[in-house]
Protein backbone atom coordinates (compact mmCIF):
# COMPACT_ATOMS: atom_id res chain seq x y z
CA UNK A 1 0.00 0.00 0.00
CA UNK A 2 1.10 3.60 -0.54
CA UNK A 3 2.75 5.35 2.34
CA UNK A 4 1.21 8.65 3.44
CA UNK A 5 3.33 11.70 2.87
CA UNK A 6 3.24 14.71 5.19
CA UNK A 7 3.91 18.29 4.13
CA UNK A 8 4.24 21.36 6.28
CA UNK A 9 2.80 24.77 5.49
CA UNK A 10 2.27 28.13 7.16
CA UNK A 11 -1.27 29.27 7.82
CA UNK A 12 -1.53 31.19 4.57
CA UNK A 13 -3.43 29.73 1.64
CA UNK A 14 -4.51 32.33 -0.93
CA UNK A 15 -7.24 29.98 -2.21
CA UNK A 16 -9.11 30.23 1.10
CA UNK A 17 -11.30 33.30 1.68
CA UNK A 18 -11.48 34.97 5.07
CA UNK A 19 -14.69 36.06 6.74
CA UNK A 20 -15.12 39.82 6.34
CA UNK A 21 -11.65 39.97 4.77
CA UNK A 22 -10.33 43.47 4.02
CA UNK A 23 -9.47 44.23 0.40
CA UNK A 24 -5.78 44.82 1.18
CA UNK A 25 -3.31 44.75 4.03
CA UNK A 26 -2.49 42.05 6.53
CA UNK A 27 -5.09 39.84 8.15
CA UNK A 28 -3.60 38.34 11.27
CA UNK A 29 -5.26 35.34 12.85
CA UNK A 30 -5.86 35.45 16.59
CA UNK A 31 -4.18 32.07 16.78
CA UNK A 32 -0.95 34.08 16.99
CA UNK A 33 -2.01 35.82 20.20
CA UNK A 34 0.87 36.62 22.53
CA UNK A 35 -1.13 36.53 25.75
CA UNK A 36 -0.14 33.10 27.00
CA UNK A 37 -1.29 31.63 30.33
CA UNK A 38 0.67 28.76 31.86
CA UNK A 39 -0.88 26.19 29.50
CA UNK A 40 -2.74 26.66 26.25
CA UNK A 41 -5.29 23.97 27.03
CA UNK A 42 -5.99 24.94 30.64
CA UNK A 43 -7.05 28.40 31.91
CA UNK A 44 -5.36 29.79 35.01
CA UNK A 45 -6.92 32.51 37.16
CA UNK A 46 -4.95 35.63 37.96
CA UNK A 47 -4.38 36.77 41.50
CA UNK A 48 -6.68 39.82 41.25
CA UNK A 49 -9.84 37.80 40.46
CA UNK A 50 -12.77 38.00 42.87
CA UNK A 51 -16.34 36.76 43.08
CA UNK A 52 -18.06 39.98 42.06
CA UNK A 53 -20.30 39.18 39.03
CA UNK A 54 -18.87 42.11 37.08
CA UNK A 55 -15.35 40.78 37.66
CA UNK A 56 -16.12 37.17 36.74
CA UNK A 57 -15.26 35.47 33.48
CA UNK A 58 -16.92 32.93 31.23
CA UNK A 59 -14.65 30.18 29.93
CA UNK A 60 -15.39 27.95 26.94
CA UNK A 61 -13.49 24.94 25.67
CA UNK A 62 -12.23 25.46 22.12
CA UNK A 63 -12.31 22.69 19.53
CA UNK A 64 -10.68 22.50 16.10
CA UNK A 65 -7.32 23.52 14.62
CA UNK A 66 -5.76 25.49 11.77
CA UNK A 67 -5.12 22.40 9.64
CA UNK A 68 -6.90 20.32 8.50
CA UNK A 69 -10.14 21.64 10.09
CA UNK A 70 -9.48 25.29 9.35
CA UNK A 71 -11.58 26.69 12.20
CA UNK A 72 -12.06 26.88 15.97
CA UNK A 73 -15.46 26.49 17.59
CA UNK A 74 -17.16 26.34 20.98
CA UNK A 75 -20.19 24.48 22.32
CA UNK A 76 -22.92 26.70 23.78
CA UNK A 77 -26.18 25.71 25.48
CA UNK A 78 -29.10 27.74 24.14
CA UNK A 79 -32.85 27.70 24.81
CA UNK A 80 -35.15 26.40 27.54
CA UNK A 81 -34.54 23.57 28.02
CA UNK A 82 -30.94 24.27 26.99
CA UNK A 83 -29.62 22.40 23.96
CA UNK A 84 -26.00 22.27 22.71
CA UNK A 85 -24.86 23.99 19.52
CA UNK A 86 -21.41 24.36 17.94
CA UNK A 87 -20.50 27.94 16.99
CA UNK A 88 -17.62 29.10 14.77
CA UNK A 89 -15.69 31.72 16.79
CA UNK A 90 -15.51 34.91 14.73
CA UNK A 91 -14.07 38.17 16.09
CA UNK A 92 -14.43 39.65 12.59
CA UNK A 93 -18.24 39.91 12.70
CA UNK A 94 -20.80 41.02 15.28
CA UNK A 95 -23.87 38.82 14.87
CA UNK A 96 -24.17 35.40 16.49
CA UNK A 97 -26.53 33.17 14.54
CA UNK A 98 -27.77 29.59 14.30
CA UNK A 99 -29.22 27.74 11.36
CA UNK A 100 -32.84 27.32 12.36
CA UNK A 101 -36.17 25.81 11.46
CA UNK A 102 -38.37 28.87 10.97
CA UNK A 103 -39.05 26.96 8.66
CA UNK A 104 -35.72 26.59 6.87
CA UNK A 105 -35.54 27.66 3.22
CA UNK A 106 -31.90 26.68 2.67
CA UNK A 107 -29.81 25.09 5.41
CA UNK A 108 -26.80 22.82 5.34
CA UNK A 109 -26.55 19.65 7.37
CA UNK A 110 -25.38 20.55 10.88
CA UNK A 111 -24.16 18.57 13.93
CA UNK A 112 -27.35 19.17 15.98
CA UNK A 113 -31.10 19.47 15.28
CA UNK A 114 -32.00 22.91 13.92
CA UNK A 115 -32.91 25.56 16.48
CA UNK A 116 -36.70 26.13 16.53
CA UNK A 117 -37.84 29.65 17.51
CA UNK A 118 -41.21 30.69 18.90
CA UNK A 119 -43.07 33.92 18.10
CA UNK A 120 -42.64 35.28 21.62
CA UNK A 121 -38.84 35.16 21.10
CA UNK A 122 -38.82 37.53 18.11
CA UNK A 123 -36.94 40.82 18.54
CA UNK A 124 -39.02 43.77 17.21
CA UNK A 125 -37.69 46.00 14.48
CA UNK A 126 -37.75 49.06 16.78
CA UNK A 127 -35.47 47.40 19.36
CA UNK A 128 -32.14 49.16 19.90
CA UNK A 129 -30.20 45.96 19.15
CA UNK A 130 -31.94 45.68 15.78
CA UNK A 131 -30.94 49.27 15.00
CA UNK A 132 -27.37 48.48 16.05
CA UNK A 133 -27.30 45.35 13.90
CA UNK A 134 -28.44 47.17 10.78
CA UNK A 135 -26.10 50.07 11.49
CA UNK A 136 -23.19 47.66 11.32
CA UNK A 137 -24.45 45.93 8.17
CA UNK A 138 -26.12 48.29 5.71
CA UNK A 139 -26.70 51.62 7.48
CA UNK A 140 -30.25 51.33 6.11
CA UNK A 141 -32.83 50.56 8.79
CA UNK A 142 -36.54 51.29 8.50
CA UNK A 143 -39.48 49.92 10.49
CA UNK A 144 -42.95 50.01 8.92
CA UNK A 145 -44.62 48.89 12.17
CA UNK A 146 -43.63 48.68 15.87
CA UNK A 147 -44.60 45.01 15.75
CA UNK A 148 -42.47 44.25 12.71
CA UNK A 149 -39.79 41.60 13.28
CA UNK A 150 -36.09 42.36 12.94
CA UNK A 151 -34.92 40.81 9.68
CA UNK A 152 -31.26 40.67 8.70
CA UNK A 153 -28.83 39.47 6.08
CA UNK A 154 -25.11 39.06 6.74
CA UNK A 155 -22.59 38.39 3.98
CA UNK A 156 -19.04 37.10 4.30
CA UNK A 157 -15.98 37.48 2.11
CA UNK A 158 -15.96 33.76 1.30
CA UNK A 159 -19.32 34.32 -0.46
CA UNK A 160 -21.22 32.74 2.44
CA UNK A 161 -24.31 34.46 3.84
CA UNK A 162 -27.15 34.09 6.30
CA UNK A 163 -30.66 35.51 5.94
CA UNK A 164 -32.87 35.37 9.02
CA UNK A 165 -34.63 37.06 11.89
CA UNK A 166 -33.33 38.30 15.24
CA UNK A 167 -34.57 36.40 18.30
CA UNK A 168 -34.03 36.37 22.07
CA UNK A 169 -33.38 33.20 24.05
CA UNK A 170 -31.51 32.08 27.14
CA UNK A 171 -27.86 31.00 27.18
CA UNK A 172 -26.72 28.70 30.01
CA UNK A 173 -23.17 29.77 30.88
CA UNK A 174 -20.94 28.57 33.72
CA UNK A 175 -18.64 31.30 35.03
CA UNK A 176 -15.11 31.03 36.40
CA UNK A 177 -16.49 31.65 39.92
CA UNK A 178 -18.51 28.39 39.53
CA UNK A 179 -21.90 30.12 39.28
CA UNK A 180 -24.26 29.53 36.33
CA UNK A 181 -26.05 32.41 34.62
CA UNK A 182 -28.87 32.23 32.05
CA UNK A 183 -29.13 35.62 30.38
CA UNK A 184 -31.57 36.21 27.54
CA UNK A 185 -29.45 37.28 24.57
CA UNK A 186 -30.25 38.37 21.02
CA UNK A 187 -28.95 36.30 18.11
CA UNK A 188 -29.86 35.43 14.56
CA UNK A 189 -32.21 32.65 13.52
CA UNK A 190 -30.87 31.93 10.03
CA UNK A 191 -33.39 30.22 7.76
CA UNK A 192 -31.68 30.83 4.39
CA UNK A 193 -27.93 30.16 4.20
CA UNK A 194 -25.18 30.02 1.62
CA UNK A 195 -22.44 28.18 3.52
CA UNK A 196 -20.65 25.85 1.13
CA UNK A 197 -21.75 22.31 0.37
CA UNK A 198 -25.33 21.39 1.29
CA UNK A 199 -24.62 17.65 1.13
CA UNK A 200 -21.76 17.44 3.64
CA UNK A 201 -22.32 17.85 7.37
CA UNK A 202 -21.00 21.27 8.45
CA UNK A 203 -18.69 21.26 11.50
CA UNK A 204 -20.76 23.97 13.23
CA UNK A 205 -24.40 24.99 13.70
CA UNK A 206 -23.67 28.69 13.24
CA UNK A 207 -21.37 31.60 14.04
CA UNK A 208 -20.33 33.18 17.37
CA UNK A 209 -19.98 36.90 16.59
CA UNK A 210 -17.47 38.60 18.90
CA UNK A 211 -16.87 41.89 17.08
CA UNK A 212 -16.98 45.25 18.83
CA UNK A 213 -20.57 46.10 17.86
CA UNK A 214 -23.44 46.29 20.40
CA UNK A 215 -25.10 43.19 18.97
CA UNK A 216 -22.08 40.94 19.59
CA UNK A 217 -22.44 38.37 22.35
CA UNK A 218 -19.45 39.86 24.16
CA UNK A 219 -21.11 43.30 24.28
CA UNK A 220 -24.38 41.76 25.48
CA UNK A 221 -22.56 39.97 28.32
CA UNK A 222 -21.22 43.37 29.34
CA UNK A 223 -24.66 44.99 29.08
CA UNK A 224 -26.09 42.31 31.40
CA UNK A 225 -23.31 42.93 33.94
CA UNK A 226 -22.00 39.36 33.63
CA UNK A 227 -18.44 40.01 32.44
CA UNK A 228 -16.30 42.95 31.45
CA UNK A 229 -15.91 43.77 27.79
CA UNK A 230 -12.77 41.66 27.35
CA UNK A 231 -12.25 38.66 25.07
CA UNK A 232 -9.18 36.44 24.81
CA UNK A 233 -8.14 32.96 23.90
CA UNK A 234 -5.21 30.61 24.06
CA UNK A 235 -4.61 27.88 21.51
CA UNK A 236 -2.67 24.67 21.90
CA UNK A 237 -0.25 23.41 19.24
CA UNK A 238 -2.10 20.10 19.60
CA UNK A 239 -5.37 21.76 18.56
CA UNK A 240 -8.16 23.16 20.73
CA UNK A 241 -7.62 25.54 23.63
CA UNK A 242 -9.97 27.87 25.49
CA UNK A 243 -11.87 31.10 24.93
CA UNK A 244 -12.80 33.53 27.69
CA UNK A 245 -14.96 36.62 28.24
CA UNK A 246 -14.03 38.97 31.10
CA UNK A 247 -10.69 39.98 32.61
CA UNK A 248 -10.12 37.34 35.31
CA UNK A 249 -7.87 35.24 33.10
CA UNK A 250 -5.87 37.98 31.41
CA UNK A 251 -2.16 37.29 32.01
CA UNK A 252 -0.51 40.46 33.29
CA UNK A 253 3.00 39.04 33.03
CA UNK A 254 4.85 37.76 29.96
CA UNK A 255 2.54 39.86 27.80
CA UNK A 256 3.03 42.68 25.31
CA UNK A 257 0.33 45.36 25.22
CA UNK A 258 -0.66 47.38 22.16
CA UNK A 259 -3.48 49.98 22.13
CA UNK A 260 -6.34 49.09 19.81
CA UNK A 261 -6.78 51.40 16.82
CA UNK A 262 -9.96 52.13 14.91
CA UNK A 263 -9.91 49.86 11.87
CA UNK A 264 -10.86 51.04 8.40
CA UNK A 265 -12.57 47.67 7.91
CA UNK A 266 -15.92 47.44 9.80
CA UNK A 267 -15.73 46.47 13.49
CA UNK A 268 -12.43 44.63 13.38
CA UNK A 269 -10.07 44.61 16.33
CA UNK A 270 -6.89 46.27 15.13
CA UNK A 271 -3.60 46.95 16.95
CA UNK A 272 -2.79 49.42 14.17
CA UNK A 273 -0.01 49.30 11.62
CA UNK A 274 3.05 47.08 11.79
CA UNK A 275 6.34 46.72 9.95
CA UNK A 276 7.41 43.28 8.79
CA UNK A 277 10.73 41.66 9.70
CA UNK A 278 12.19 38.25 8.86
CA UNK A 279 15.24 36.87 10.60
CA UNK A 280 15.84 40.21 12.29
CA UNK A 281 15.91 42.17 9.02
CA UNK A 282 13.24 44.48 7.63
CA UNK A 283 11.56 43.18 4.49
CA UNK A 284 11.46 46.71 3.12
CA UNK A 285 7.69 46.98 2.68
CA UNK A 286 5.65 49.86 4.04
CA UNK A 287 3.79 49.38 7.35
CA UNK A 288 0.44 47.59 7.00
CA UNK A 289 -2.73 47.75 9.05
CA UNK A 290 -3.19 44.53 11.02
CA UNK A 291 -6.63 43.23 11.94
CA UNK A 292 -7.45 40.30 14.20
CA UNK A 293 -10.07 37.92 12.85
CA UNK A 294 -10.53 34.49 14.41
CA UNK A 295 -13.11 33.62 11.74
CA UNK A 296 -10.30 33.48 9.17
CA UNK A 297 -8.51 30.16 9.07
CA UNK A 298 -5.21 31.60 7.93
CA UNK A 299 -3.02 34.70 8.01
CA UNK A 300 -3.20 36.80 4.85
CA UNK A 301 -0.83 39.33 3.30
CA UNK A 302 -1.38 41.58 0.34
CA UNK A 303 0.75 40.84 -2.73
CA UNK A 304 3.82 42.98 -1.95
CA UNK A 305 4.58 41.80 1.61
CA UNK A 306 3.69 38.23 0.67
CA UNK A 307 6.16 38.19 -2.20
CA UNK A 308 8.82 39.86 -0.05
CA UNK A 309 8.40 37.15 2.59
CA UNK A 310 8.52 34.32 0.02
CA UNK A 311 11.69 35.77 -1.48
CA UNK A 312 13.29 36.02 1.97
CA UNK A 313 12.29 32.45 2.80
CA UNK A 314 13.71 31.01 -0.41
CA UNK A 315 16.92 32.97 -0.14
CA UNK A 316 17.60 31.75 3.38
CA UNK A 317 16.83 28.04 3.10
CA UNK A 318 19.35 25.28 3.61
CA UNK A 319 20.39 23.28 0.54
CA UNK A 320 19.14 20.17 2.33
CA UNK A 321 15.58 21.27 1.48
CA UNK A 322 14.34 20.79 -2.08
CA UNK A 323 11.35 22.72 -3.45
CA UNK A 324 8.65 20.45 -4.85
CA UNK A 325 5.03 20.78 -5.95
CA UNK A 326 2.03 20.11 -3.75
CA UNK A 327 -1.64 19.69 -4.81
CA UNK A 328 -3.00 22.23 -2.32
CA UNK A 329 -0.11 24.44 -1.15
CA UNK A 330 1.71 27.14 -3.13
CA UNK A 331 5.16 26.36 -1.71
CA UNK A 332 6.57 23.04 -0.61
CA UNK A 333 9.99 21.71 0.36
CA UNK A 334 11.20 18.14 0.68
CA UNK A 335 13.93 17.07 3.10
CA UNK A 336 16.37 14.18 3.04
CA UNK A 337 14.36 12.44 5.76
CA UNK A 338 10.62 12.38 6.50
CA UNK A 339 9.40 15.16 8.77
CA UNK A 340 7.29 14.07 11.73
CA UNK A 341 6.46 17.62 12.85
CA UNK A 342 7.40 21.25 12.18
CA UNK A 343 9.80 21.04 15.12
CA UNK A 344 12.02 18.84 12.94
CA UNK A 345 12.82 21.82 10.72
CA UNK A 346 12.52 24.70 13.18
CA UNK A 347 16.25 25.42 12.88
CA UNK A 348 15.99 25.61 9.09
CA UNK A 349 13.65 28.64 9.19
CA UNK A 350 13.68 32.02 10.91
CA UNK A 351 11.03 33.90 12.86
CA UNK A 352 8.68 36.41 11.31
CA UNK A 353 8.24 39.58 13.43
CA UNK A 354 5.58 42.29 13.42
CA UNK A 355 6.76 45.58 14.87
CA UNK A 356 3.69 47.59 15.91
CA UNK A 357 3.92 51.38 15.70
CA UNK A 358 1.31 51.90 18.46
CA UNK A 359 3.17 50.10 21.22
CA UNK A 360 6.47 50.69 22.99
CA UNK A 361 8.76 47.88 21.84
CA UNK A 362 5.65 45.96 20.78
CA UNK A 363 7.20 43.12 18.83
CA UNK A 364 5.14 40.08 17.93
CA UNK A 365 7.39 37.16 17.08
CA UNK A 366 5.92 34.40 14.94
CA UNK A 367 8.29 31.41 15.14
CA UNK A 368 8.47 28.83 12.32
CA UNK A 369 6.17 26.39 14.14
CA UNK A 370 3.44 29.07 14.02
CA UNK A 371 3.58 29.66 10.27
CA UNK A 372 4.34 26.13 9.08
CA UNK A 373 1.98 23.15 9.04
CA UNK A 374 2.24 19.47 8.14
CA UNK A 375 -0.05 18.21 5.40
CA UNK A 376 -0.55 14.68 4.13
CA UNK A 377 -0.78 13.44 0.57
CA UNK A 378 -0.64 10.03 -1.09
CA UNK A 379 1.08 8.04 -2.57
CA UNK A 380 4.60 9.53 -2.53
CA UNK A 381 6.79 7.85 0.09
CA UNK A 382 8.61 10.85 1.58
CA UNK A 383 7.30 13.55 3.84
CA UNK A 384 7.23 17.08 2.53
CA UNK A 385 7.65 20.37 4.22
CA UNK A 386 5.51 23.09 2.70
CA UNK A 387 4.63 26.74 3.04
Amino acid sequence: SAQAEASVSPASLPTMAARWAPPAGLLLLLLLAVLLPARADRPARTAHADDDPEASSAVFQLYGNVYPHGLYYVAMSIGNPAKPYFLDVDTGSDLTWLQCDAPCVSCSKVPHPLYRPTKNKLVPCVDQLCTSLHGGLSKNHKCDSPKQQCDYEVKYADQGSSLGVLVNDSFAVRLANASVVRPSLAFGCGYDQEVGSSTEVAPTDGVLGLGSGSISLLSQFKQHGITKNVVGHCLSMRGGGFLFFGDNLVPYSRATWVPMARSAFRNYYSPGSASLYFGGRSLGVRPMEVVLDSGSSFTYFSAQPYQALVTALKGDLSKTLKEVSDPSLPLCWKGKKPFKSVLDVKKEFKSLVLNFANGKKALMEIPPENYLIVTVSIPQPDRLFCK
Side-chain angles (χ1 to χ4, degrees):
S1 61
Q3 181 180 350
E5 152 194 18
S7 56
V8 187
S9 164
S12 178
L13 295 183
T15 56
M16 299 292 289
R19 291 194 188 278
W20 296 110
L26 171 65
L27 185 62
L28 182 64
L29 191 62
L30 271 175
L31 117 88
L32 304 175
V34 295
L35 303 181
L36 297 177
R39 288 187 55 177
D41 54 355
R42 184 179 304 166
R45 296 188 60 154
T46 54
H48 79 290
D50 53 50
D51 292 328
D52 182 80
E54 178 71 3
S56 192
S57 294
V59 184
F60 307 93
Q61 182 74 38
L62 276 173
Y63 305 92
N65 53 43
V66 175
Y67 188 89
H69 294 105
L71 81 163
Y72 287 88
Y73 63 93
V74 296
M76 283 197 164
S77 299
I78 305 171
N80 189 14
K83 298 179 181 179
Y85 297 96
F86 294 157
L87 299 178
D88 187 347
V89 179
D90 186 14
T91 60
S93 63
D94 293 336
L95 182 66
T96 294
W97 58 267
L98 291 172
Q99 296 198 61
C100 74
D101 184 7
C104 185
V105 176
S106 176
C107 292
S108 58
K109 296 179 181 179
V110 290
H112 299 98
L114 295 178
Y115 172 81
R116 301 191 67 179
T118 55
K119 287 187 177 181
N120 66 331
K121 300 293 185 183
L122 294 176
V123 174
C125 179
V126 294
D127 191 281
Q128 185 177 357
L129 285 176
C130 184
T131 303
S132 172
L133 170 62
H134 283 270
L137 294 177
S138 63
K139 311 295 183 183
N140 183 20
H141 179 56
K142 182 181 179 181
C143 299
D144 297 326
S145 165
K147 296 183 179 180
Q148 180 181 342
Q149 67 188 25
C150 180
D151 297 307
Y152 73 85
E153 181 178 13
V154 291
K155 296 181 179 180
Y156 300 97
D158 61 2
Q159 308 307 312
S161 65
S162 174
L163 180 70
V165 59
L166 203 63
V167 298
N168 259 308
D169 212 336
S170 62
F171 282 63
V173 180
R174 182 175 295 277
L175 302 180
N177 61 13
S179 65
V180 177
V181 294
R182 293 179 173 83
S184 182
L185 306 175
F187 61 97
C189 165
Y191 54 79
D192 191 355
Q193 271 72 235
E194 292 291 339
V195 287
S197 173
S198 59
T199 58
E200 298 180 1
V201 178
T204 60
D205 301 285
V207 170
L208 175 61
L210 298 178
S212 59
S214 300
I215 192 65
S216 80
L217 228 60
L218 180 65
S219 297
Q220 292 188 64
F221 267 64
K222 166 65 178 177
Q223 292 161 11
H224 283 266
I226 300 170
T227 65
K228 292 185 178 179
N229 202 18
V230 175
V231 61
H233 73 216
C234 197
L235 307 181
S236 170
M237 288 187 65
R238 299 183 296 275
F242 65 90
L243 170 79
F244 64 88
F245 302 164
D247 66 344
N248 281 36
L249 306 177
V250 175
Y252 287 93
S253 63
R254 297 174 56 214
T256 298
W257 298 95
V258 180
M260 284 292 170
R262 181 173 293 276
S263 172
F265 309 109
R266 302 183 186 270
N267 287 329
Y268 275 121
Y269 298 106
S270 172
S273 63
S275 299
L276 198 57
Y277 290 78
F278 181 75
R281 296 188 309 233
S282 171
L283 289 182
V285 295
R286 64 181 183 180
M288 309 157 294
E289 180 183 355
V290 175
V291 293
L292 305 174
D293 182 10
S294 65
S296 302
S297 303
F298 306 104
T299 299
Y300 293 83
F301 294 84
S302 57
Q304 185 182 14
Y306 177 80
Q307 190 56 53
L309 175 59
V310 170
T311 300
L313 274 169
K314 289 184 175 181
D316 198 63
L317 282 182
S318 166
K319 293 183 179 180
T320 60
L321 297 176
K322 178 183 178 183
E323 187 171 349
V324 293
S325 62
D326 183 86
S328 60
L329 301 169
L331 290 174
C332 190
W333 291 277
K334 178 180 179 180
K336 292 182 177 180
K337 296 181 179 180
F339 300 121
K340 296 181 180 179
S341 79
V342 294
L343 298 179
D344 291 347
V345 289
K346 181 178 179 179
K347 293 181 179 179
E348 302 281 358
F349 290 82
K350 295 178 180 178
S351 292
L352 179 66
V353 174
L354 294 172
N355 186 355
F356 291 98
N358 283 351
K360 184 178 180 181
K361 294 184 179 180
L363 302 177
M364 183 176 185
E365 181 180 357
I366 306 171
E369 60 267 32
N370 278 23
Y371 66 77
L372 300 167
I373 57 175
V374 177
T375 64
V376 177
S377 58
I378 296 176
Q380 297 170 345
D382 295 330
R383 299 194 177 199
L384 299 181
F385 179 80
C386 301
K387 176 195 174 293

